[in-house]
């Protein structure tokens, strides 16, 4: 079945460092791809999305490009802030009723 | 626009007690979902609904029940609470069109002792 694999955390960075969180997927069709962010004590918020190959989703300085050839949707940010500390979830929708989530990657940013 | 709201925010239950977690959305979404998130873990789907009167099991439905009598509301019922149901519960909803992203509520933190 369809699945999402994320890199293990925690990812620990200093403020203004470059961030990459890897996400790869397995799907039989042509899924839509998402990144969600969960701040401490809160629910999940949609961060960005991409619906077809080569699409780039972007929001709040974060970007991810839908790469069909490598089945990847890596999350990047050029300069992280302390306020970016959160858990990040990669997810896919194969256009059925459900989202399939990765296990989440915790990001910790220190001043 | 309130989005997805959940009540209560916190609850402590004794083993064997029952309770209902409430979820309401004001976006006229047909699809609604219940997830649980155990500490340090990802989300597991408990039940979902594709419209009023229609519900289906997710990955971990045992010990839970749901109903969907209106588009707006999707309550989750815990019968005979067990310590294994200690978790944070999230409700989500989505429209039936587009990229199928889901919108989440703030969660209910449940402890069963």
């Amino acid at each position: 079945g369809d699945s999402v694999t994320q890199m293990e955390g925690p990812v620990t960075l200093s403020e203004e460092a470059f961030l990459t969180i890897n996400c790869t997927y397995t799907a039989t069709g042509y899924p839509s791809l998402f990144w969600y962010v969960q701040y401490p004590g809160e629910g999940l918020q949609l961060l960005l999305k991409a619906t077809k190959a080569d699409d780039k989703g972007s929001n709040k300085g974060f970007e991810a490009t839908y790469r069909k050839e490598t089945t990847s949707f890596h999350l990047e940010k050029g300069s992280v802030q302390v306020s970016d500390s959160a858990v990040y979830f990669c997810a896919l929708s194969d256009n059925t009723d459900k989202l399939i989530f990765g296990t989440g990657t915790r990001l910790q940013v220190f001043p | 626009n309130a989005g997805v709201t959940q009540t209560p925010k916190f609850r402590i239950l004794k083993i064997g007690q029952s309770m209902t977690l409430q979820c309401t959305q004001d976006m006229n979404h047909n699809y609604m979902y219940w997830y649980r998130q155990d500490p340090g873990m990802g989300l597991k789907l408990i039940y979902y609904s594709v419209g009023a009167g229609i519900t289906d099991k997710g990955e971990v439905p045992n010990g839970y029940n749901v109903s969907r009598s209106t588009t707006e509301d999707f309550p989750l019922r815990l019968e005979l609470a067990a310590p294994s149901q200690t978790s944070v519960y999230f409700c989500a909803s989505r429209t039936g069109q587009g990229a199928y992203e889901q919108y989440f509520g703030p969660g209910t933190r449940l402890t069963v002792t």
Side-chain angles (χ1 to χ4, degrees):
Chain A
D2 295 355
S3 65
V4 174
T5 302
Q6 287 183 239
M7 62 188 289
E8 294 259 345
V11 173
T12 304
L13 294 173
S14 297
E15 208 165 24
E16 299 183 2
F18 185 86
L19 168 70
T20 300
I21 299 178
N22 290 337
C23 171
T24 57
Y25 68 90
T26 302
T28 52
Y30 298 92
S32 295
L33 300 173
F34 309 91
W35 277 101
Y36 281 84
V37 58
Q38 184 179 30
Y39 298 104
E42 298 184 11
L44 277 71
Q45 302 174 25
L46 179 66
L47 181 60
L48 53 83
K49 66 182 180 185
T51 58
K52 61 183 187 298
D54 300 325
D55 266 3
K56 178 185 283 188
S58 61
N59 186 25
K60 299 181 181 179
F62 291 89
E63 293 182 340
T65 301
Y66 187 163
R67 302 282 189 203
K68 190 169 182 299
E69 63 275 12
T70 54
T71 62
S72 64
F73 193 54
H74 304 323
L75 183 68
E76 297 182 336
K77 187 175 186 184
S79 176
V80 293
Q81 305 301 310
V82 172
S83 57
D84 293 326
S85 298
V87 180
Y88 292 81
F89 291 91
C90 185
L92 73 80
S93 167
D94 59 0
N95 301 326
T96 62
D97 298 332
K98 305 172 200 171
L99 277 181
I100 296 169
F101 287 91
T103 53
T105 302
R106 181 175 300 277
L107 170 66
Q108 298 174 322
V109 182
F110 294 96
Chain B
N1 192 346
V4 180
T5 57
Q6 293 183 239
T7 57
K9 284 186 168 42
F10 304 94
R11 183 72 186 268
I12 298 174
L13 281 182
K14 295 189 185 304
I15 294 170
Q17 287 185 321
S18 300
M19 76 165 293
T20 299
L21 282 67
Q22 301 292 344
C23 175
T24 300
Q25 54 91 11
D26 63 0
M27 297 175 281
N28 201 33
H29 286 170
N30 288 329
Y31 293 71
M32 296 187 75
Y33 303 81
W34 274 107
Y35 295 90
R36 60 178 286 173
Q37 184 181 34
D38 297 331
M41 305 293 285
L43 286 87
K44 294 184 179 179
L45 181 64
I46 305 171
Y47 271 97
Y48 68 104
S49 169
V50 302
I54 306 169
T55 62
D56 209 347
K57 295 178 180 179
E59 186 183 355
V60 289
N62 292 343
Y64 307 94
N65 279 299
V66 293
S67 60
R68 184 93 182 272
S69 57
T70 67
T71 298
E72 295 78 19
D73 300 305
F74 190 40
L76 177 71
R77 178 87 178 155
L78 277 72
E79 305 282 1
L80 298 175
S84 61
Q85 293 177 305
T86 294
S87 191
V88 181
Y89 291 84
F90 291 103
C91 181
S93 73
R94 73 161 172 91
T95 179
Q97 302 173 2
Y100 306 112
E101 64 265 34
Q102 294 180 13
Y103 297 88
F104 284 78
T108 294
R109 185 176 296 276
L110 175 67
T111 302
V112 182
T113 63

